[in-house]
Amino acid sequence: QVQVVESGGGLVQAGGSLRLSCIVSGLTFDDYAMGWFRQAPGKEREGVSYISPNGGISGYAAFVKGRFTISRDNAKNTLYLEMNSLKPEDTASYYCAADRGTNYYMLSARTYTYWGQGTQVTVSS
């Protein structure tokens, strides 16, 4: 059974930083591209960042580029998202997801197969 568990969310002031982690079990982690998504109340889920199975390719949504960094440790089956210069508009539930296909770079939620339950990030002004 595949399990995807996010952690590291919390309350932070604008300009602050957080590091999210996502531990995956029940699949061969380095066979899967990984992505981070987020969803704010009343809004659709949106893609934040992706990383290829071996970590060599990554990409970001324009609204986080230069502030967030995605990484993975395949030996630990863990995905990370380092978030700096946080803004109130970054407030959302953040989700980790796994995709074994080749369209992961499109950051479309429909292509990702396995999802975590999310971790809440709240940025105060």
Side-chain angles (χ1 to χ4, degrees):
Q1 182 178 354
V2 177
Q3 289 191 314
V4 180
V5 180
E6 303 96 336
S7 62
L11 174 63
V12 63
Q13 288 189 331
S17 299
L18 283 174
R19 188 193 198 201
L20 305 184
S21 298
C22 171
I23 298 177
V24 182
S25 61
L27 54 73
T28 304
F29 187 64
D30 56 9
D31 280 348
Y32 286 77
M34 298 297 297
W36 285 102
F37 293 78
R38 71 185 188 185
Q39 188 167 19
K43 294 189 176 181
E44 292 189 355
R45 190 168 297 191
E46 59 185 359
V48 174
S49 181
Y50 64 84
I51 189 166
S52 61
N54 66 3
I57 299 171
S58 61
Y60 302 89
F63 52 79
V64 302
K65 203 167 187 178
R67 300 188 296 124
F68 291 10
T69 303
I70 192 170
S71 62
R72 64 190 295 164
D73 184 339
N74 284 352
K76 295 182 178 179
N77 283 16
T78 303
L79 175 73
Y80 303 100
L81 186 68
E82 186 75 36
M83 304 187 295
N84 298 315
S85 302
L86 283 162
K87 306 175 181 180
E89 51 264 43
D90 293 318
T91 295
S93 291
Y94 283 71
Y95 299 88
C96 167
D99 178 11
R100 197 171 183 181
T102 57
N103 292 326
Y104 59 87
Y105 64 94
M106 298 176 67
L107 274 179
S108 169
R110 291 174 294 178
T111 70
Y112 284 75
T113 306
Y114 300 106
W115 291 81
Q117 293 300 305
T119 185
Q120 178 67 35
V121 172
T122 303
V123 184
S124 62
S125 57

